[in-house]
């Protein structure tokens, strides 16, 4: 433990050391990179150069604080993000209008041949490097998915052995020296510029020299003067001209990125100094020919800041991560097949643990529980396969969809129509005779279910944005409670925190059941307590918390003491008139998961619903009832879960009107969750 602790302490102190010394330590992997780095130092003395023999040693050096930054490709960004190193991408390369912060992974061959991608077995191959994106992860993942390379997993043999058996011979720098994967290499087969066939230019040179018959590179690798001599291999087994990469490629991949330790000050320091460089071309290696792509890719046009809190997984995207997972195939015999449900906060976790206990059959639980402090944290766990599913509101379905997750089951609130599509009305509730109308809302105090939630935020704020055109909603409402908002925001000032109201209450304005004004019942309670003048909730919220229904705080409330307000109505109307006075008809909450887990999640939930649903056979637990709070795991008004047709996208599930409202609201960047910003940073992060 002591050496690990020392490394951790070095990492934590690294930014302080950088600030004191004034040096930004760049890690380089070859003599030519070191030459370029030293030339950069001459123009910008703030930089210093740390030389290491390979990428992994650079990653370790950055973790330990011996170096500060390096530019890596997707495969290495994945490695750098592992728990051992815990680095993150902070700046992306941008390759201009043809590909922005993405590039195309392609298979290049000499013109005139007749073989296609399905005929590669027994051919000689050139790779940029072992575990690199365009040169290894994408092509090998593609050949595996097409069933061309036969591999049962690491318990069968190593992936290197499987690839070595497929190709006649190869140069894959970084592979085991002496193996077939190093047979075509010119020097030491190292994953550095010391090997002439390393990287994009090297893999192409391997093909040009006739050492290999196919080179796996990126779409901009072949020089303009050479394009007429080469072709691309397409996945449909045809060939195409080099410039047809948009329709003939293996995958679209995220750009190379500068990685560093997780330290906002250090990230700012690196960005400031890189963008301040003058009289030196960071993106050219011409002076160091024949070497290419030194420090940065030569095709880079500019650098772009990566959204804060973006880790390696979010940067690479779900599709790329699934490819990496397929290349790490392991036997799953004996692993748990339980549905891993993600709960937010203590109260939900408590209910989820009860569900786990009740789900045990034959000594095995059908449901396991994981917890996250926020919905966003749970979505990240699902994306990483640490968890499988959770039920979320429409606004969170939108964010989940942007991150590659899919809705698979939807809550239905009317038992009679459990076989039809489910939805509810988003409404604005005020106290009777308060004098508050839709037209007089400005300057009032507001109660919201939570930031990014459908009825509580997206719909009402979307309506208000249409009216004002102003993204600063603090100019419209004087204050309020919108759990999940910045703690210093006026939208946190009216929040109630935990029931105990302790000093320095950590639960205040938290987007979980620990904040008593969170969710539908919480937003209504905010109005009841006088902390707000209007509550944005769903049409059943007041009936579910009044007239003898609901928990202790609602026991004496009368539904007749509350009214609805809406655009186009000069005066309030009774709570029961929601069909004619509402803000929108919106989709119900839905269970979301990864596309590959869809059927497993549905199977388990149908079985659990049969046992523990509203009319379930086992009364020891009820999925749709909450004894220590409201709407825990599922909304308490849920009567059943319905399967969403497999072909339904998240856009189709949410509907045109809702998508239009979200598109409008997303003009206000402050309303976009950090997770969503990370998931949509690249155009190539999502499946198209």
């Amino acid at each position: 433990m002591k050496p690990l602790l020392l490394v951790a302490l070095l990492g934590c102190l690294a930014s302080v050391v950088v600030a004191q010394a004034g040096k930004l330590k760049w890690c380089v992997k070859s003599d030519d990179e070191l030459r370029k780095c030293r030339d950069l130092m001459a123009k910008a003395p703030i930089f210093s150069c740390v030389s290491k023999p390979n990428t992994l040693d650079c990653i370790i050096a950055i973790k330990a604080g011996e170096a500060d930054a390096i530019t890596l490709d997707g495969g290495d960004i994945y490695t750098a993000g592992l728990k051992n190193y815990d680095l993150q991408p902070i700046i992306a390369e941008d390759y201009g209008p043809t590909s922005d912060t993405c590039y195309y992974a392609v298979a290049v061959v000499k013109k005139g041949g007749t073989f296609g991608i399905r005929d590669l077995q027994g051919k000689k191959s050139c790779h940029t490097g072992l575990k690199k994106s365009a040169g290894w992860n994408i092509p090998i993942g593609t050949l595996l998915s097409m069933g061309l390379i036969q591999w049962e997993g690491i318990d069968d043999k190593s992936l290197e052995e499987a690839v070595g058996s497929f190709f006649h011979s190869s140069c894959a720098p970084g592979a085991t020296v002496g193996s077939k994967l190093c047979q075509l290499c010119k020097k030491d087969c190292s994953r550095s510029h010391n090997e002439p066939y390393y990287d994009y230019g090297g893999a192409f040179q391997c093909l040009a020299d006739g050492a290999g018959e196919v080179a796996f590179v990126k779409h901009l690798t072949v020089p303009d003067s050479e394009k007429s001599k080469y072709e691309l291999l397409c996945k449909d087994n045809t060939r195409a001209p080099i410039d047809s990469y948009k329709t003939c490629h293996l995958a679209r991949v995220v750009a190379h990125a500068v990685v560093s330790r997780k330290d906002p000050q250090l990230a700012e320091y690196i960005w400031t100094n890189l963008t301040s460089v003058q009289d030196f071309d960071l993106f050219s290696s011409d002076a160091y020919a024949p070497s290419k792509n030194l420090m940065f890719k030569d095709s880079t046009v500019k650098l772009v800041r990566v959204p804060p809190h973006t880790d390696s997984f979010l940067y690479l995207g779900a599709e790329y991560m699934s490819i990496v997972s397929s290349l790490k195939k392991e036997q799953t015999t004996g692993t748990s097949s339980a549905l891993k449900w993600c709960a937010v906060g203590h109260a939900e976790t408590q209910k989820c643990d009860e569900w786990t206990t009740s789900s045990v059959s034959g000594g095995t639980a059908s449901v396991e529980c994981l917890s996250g402090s926020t919905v966003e944290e749970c979505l990240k766990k699902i994306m990483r396969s640490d968890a499988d599913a959770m039920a979320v509101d429409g606004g969170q379905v939108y964010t989940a969809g942007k991150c590659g997750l899919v809705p698979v089951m939807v809550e239905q609130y009317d038992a009679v129509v459990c076989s039809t599509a489910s939805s509810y009305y988003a409404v604005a509730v005020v106290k009777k005779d308060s004098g508050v109308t839709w037209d007089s809302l400005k300057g009032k105090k507001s109660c919201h279910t939570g930031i990014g939630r459908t009825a509580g935020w997206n719909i009402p704020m979307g309506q208000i944005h249409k009216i004002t055109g102003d993204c600063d909603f603090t100019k419209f409402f004087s204050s309020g409670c919108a759990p999940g908002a910045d703690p210093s925001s006026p939208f946190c000032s009216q929040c109630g925190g935990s029931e105990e109201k302790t000093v320095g209450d950590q639960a205040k304005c938290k987007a979980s059941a620990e904040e008593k004004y969170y969710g539908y019942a919480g937003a209504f309670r905010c109005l009841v307590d006088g902390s707000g003048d209007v509550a944005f909730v769903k049409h059943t919220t007041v009936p579910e918390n009044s007239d003898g229904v609901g928990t202790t705080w609602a026991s004496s409330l009368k539904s007749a003491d509350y009214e609805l307000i809406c655009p186009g109505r000069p005066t309030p109307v009774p709570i029961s008139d929601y069909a004619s006075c509402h803000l929108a008809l919106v989709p119900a909450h839905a269970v979301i998961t990864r596309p590959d887990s869809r059927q497993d999640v549905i199977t388990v939930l149908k079985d659990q619903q049969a046992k523990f649903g509203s009319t379930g056979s086992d009364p020891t637990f009820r999925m749709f009832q909450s004894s220590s709070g409201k709407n825990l795991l599922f909304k308490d008004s849920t009567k059943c879960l319905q399967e969403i047709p497999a072909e339904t996208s998240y856009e189709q599930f949410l509907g045109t009107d809702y998508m239009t409202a979200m598109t409008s609201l997303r003009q206000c960047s402050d309303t976009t969750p950090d997770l969503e910003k990370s998931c949509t940073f690249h155009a190539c992060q999502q499946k198209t």
Side-chain angles (χ1 to χ4, degrees), residues 63 70 117 121 138 165 183 212 227 246 260 302 334 338 345 373 377 411 503 548 606 615 628 637 666:
K63 169 65 177 176
I70 187 175
I117 196 168
Q121 186 167 4
I138 296 301
S165 299
Q183 199 169 319
K227 286 181 178 178
K246 288 188 178 180
S260 188
K302 63 180 179 179
S373 59
E377 187 179 326
E411 294 179 349
V503 176
K606 283 184 174 179
T615 58
S628 57
S637 54
R666 285 299 183 258

Side-chain angles (χ1 to χ4, degrees), residues 73-80 131-133 137 191 316 320 324:
D73 104 308
D76 293 325
I77 291 170
Y78 172 85
T79 300
K131 297 183 181 180
K132 290 180 78 70
S133 293
N137 291 348
R191 248 182 57 134
L316 295 171
Y320 187 89
V324 174

Side-chain angles (χ1 to χ4, degrees), residues 104-106 232-235 244-252:
Y104 295 90
V106 295
L232 302 177
L233 297 184
C234 310
K235 287 197 282 187
S244 297
Y245 54 82
K246 288 188 178 180
T247 54
C248 178
H249 57 263
L250 305 183
R252 202 170 179 211

Side-chain angles (χ1 to χ4, degrees), residues 331-348:
Q331 304 286 49
T332 56
T333 306
T335 59
S336 171
S337 59
L339 171 65
K340 294 176 288 187
W341 196 268
C342 198
V344 179
H346 176 72
E348 280 206 341

Side-chain angles (χ1 to χ4, degrees), residues 524-641:
F524 179 47
R525 186 177 182 180
C526 167
L527 172 68
V528 170
D529 290 350
S531 296
D533 302 304
V534 59
F536 298 110
V537 291
K538 70 185 182 83
H539 70 283
T540 60
T541 300
V542 176
E544 289 168 357
N545 295 278
S546 60
D547 301 328
V549 180
T551 52
T552 306
W553 66 267
S555 59
S556 62
L557 299 180
K558 304 295 182 187
S559 61
D561 292 335
Y562 298 90
E563 296 177 310
L564 302 179
I565 61 173
C566 55
R569 288 286 187 95
T571 57
V573 302
I575 291 294
S576 57
D577 285 1
Y578 57 82
S580 64
C581 183
H582 55 262
L583 305 185
L585 180 65
V586 295
H589 290 205
V591 175
I592 51 94
T593 187
R594 298 176 303 280
D596 58 290
S597 301
R598 183 183 189 281
Q599 196 52 56
D600 290 339
V601 170
I602 291 171
T603 299
V604 173
L605 286 178
K606 283 184 174 179
D607 173 69
Q608 293 297 295
Q609 179 170 248
K611 295 175 182 175
F612 308 120
S614 300
T615 58
S617 59
D618 189 338
T620 59
F621 177 74
R622 284 290 176 248
M623 291 167 64
F624 312 134
Q625 291 177 15
S626 305
S627 58
S628 57
K630 291 285 288 184
N631 303 313
L632 302 177
L633 303 181
F634 302 94
K635 278 163 67 176
D636 296 341
S637 54
T638 303
K639 305 303 180 190
C640 65
L641 295 174

Side-chain angles (χ1 to χ4, degrees), residues 4-335:
L4 289 175
L5 180 60
L6 178 60
V7 170
L9 287 171
L10 284 170
C12 292
L13 293 171
S15 62
V16 177
V17 174
V18 167
Q20 290 174 343
K23 290 288 186 180
L24 175 51
K25 303 186 289 292
W26 202 271
C27 199
V28 297
K29 302 174 296 179
S30 70
D31 292 340
D32 284 340
E33 270 202 331
L34 182 59
R35 282 175 55 208
K36 180 175 179 179
C37 185
R38 285 174 173 167
D39 288 345
L40 170 62
M41 283 175 57
K43 296 290 185 179
I46 199 75
F47 287 89
S48 66
C49 308
V50 176
S51 182
K52 296 292 178 180
N54 55 55
T55 301
L56 184 59
D57 283 349
C58 275
I59 290 172
I60 293 170
I62 294 169
K63 169 65 177 176
E66 296 172 20
D68 297 317
I70 187 175
T71 308
L72 299 178
D73 104 308
D76 293 325
I77 291 170
Y78 172 85
T79 300
L82 296 175
K83 290 180 181 178
N84 293 1
Y85 313 114
D86 204 29
L87 306 184
Q88 71 176 113
I90 57 172
I91 300 165
E93 294 180 342
D94 187 308
Y95 309 121
T98 60
S99 51
D100 51 71
T101 56
C102 306
Y103 63 89
Y104 295 90
V106 295
V108 178
V109 293
K110 287 185 177 178
K111 204 168 188 177
T114 57
F115 65 88
I117 196 168
R118 291 189 172 275
D119 308 307
L120 285 179
Q121 186 167 4
K123 298 291 188 291
K124 295 180 288 184
S125 60
C126 305
H127 307 260
T128 59
L130 194 73
K131 297 183 181 180
K132 290 180 78 70
S133 293
W136 184 266
N137 291 348
I138 296 301
I140 302 307
T142 300
L143 295 173
L144 282 169
S145 67
M146 294 174 73
L148 299 175
I149 295 179
Q150 301 301 314
W151 185 50
E152 296 302 321
I154 59 173
D155 288 353
D156 171 34
K157 55 188 170 185
S158 73
L159 180 58
E160 286 187 48
E161 286 180 274
V163 176
S165 299
F166 179 77
F167 292 112
H168 176 275
S169 53
S170 307
C171 177
T176 303
V177 176
S179 72
K180 288 179 67 179
L181 293 181
C182 283
Q183 199 169 319
L184 300 182
C185 290
K186 209 164 186 178
K187 284 190 178 177
D188 60 2
C189 194
S190 66
R191 248 182 57 134
S192 77
H193 291 285
N194 294 324
E195 166 54 57
Y197 288 166
Y198 169 70
D199 206 12
Y200 300 104
F204 175 66
Q205 195 61 47
C206 167
L207 173 66
D209 289 348
E213 297 167 275
V214 60
F216 299 110
V217 291
K218 75 182 189 78
H219 71 289
L220 296 172
T221 301
V222 182
D224 289 342
S225 60
E226 298 287 302
K227 286 181 178 178
S228 62
K229 302 176 186 176
Y230 296 90
E231 293 178 303
L232 302 177
L233 297 184
C234 310
K235 287 197 282 187
D236 64 1
N237 212 41
T238 63
R239 292 186 172 207
I242 291 295
D243 285 331
S244 297
Y245 54 82
K246 288 188 178 180
T247 54
C248 178
H249 57 263
L250 305 183
R252 202 170 179 211
V253 190
V254 294
H256 290 205
V258 176
V259 301
S260 188
R261 294 176 294 281
K262 291 180 177 177
D263 182 332
Q265 290 181 319
L266 180 57
E268 182 65 33
Y269 189 77
I270 294 169
W271 169 256
T272 300
N273 284 293
L274 277 177
T275 53
S276 299
V277 172
Q278 295 181 347
D279 301 322
F280 186 85
D281 191 347
L282 290 170
F283 315 133
S284 173
S285 304
D286 291 347
Y288 316 96
S291 292
K292 296 181 179 180
N293 304 310
L294 302 176
M295 298 182 68
F296 296 91
K297 274 162 69 175
D298 296 341
S299 54
T300 305
V301 174
K302 63 180 179 179
L303 299 175
V304 181
R305 287 293 291 269
V306 174
H309 314 300
T310 302
D311 60 15
S312 294
F313 177 85
L314 293 175
Y315 181 83
L316 295 171
E319 188 176 7
Y320 187 89
M321 290 299 294
S322 69
I323 292 171
V324 174
S325 297
S326 73
L327 299 181
K328 296 178 175 293
K329 193 188 301 178
E330 297 179 13
Q331 304 286 49
T332 56
T333 306
T335 59

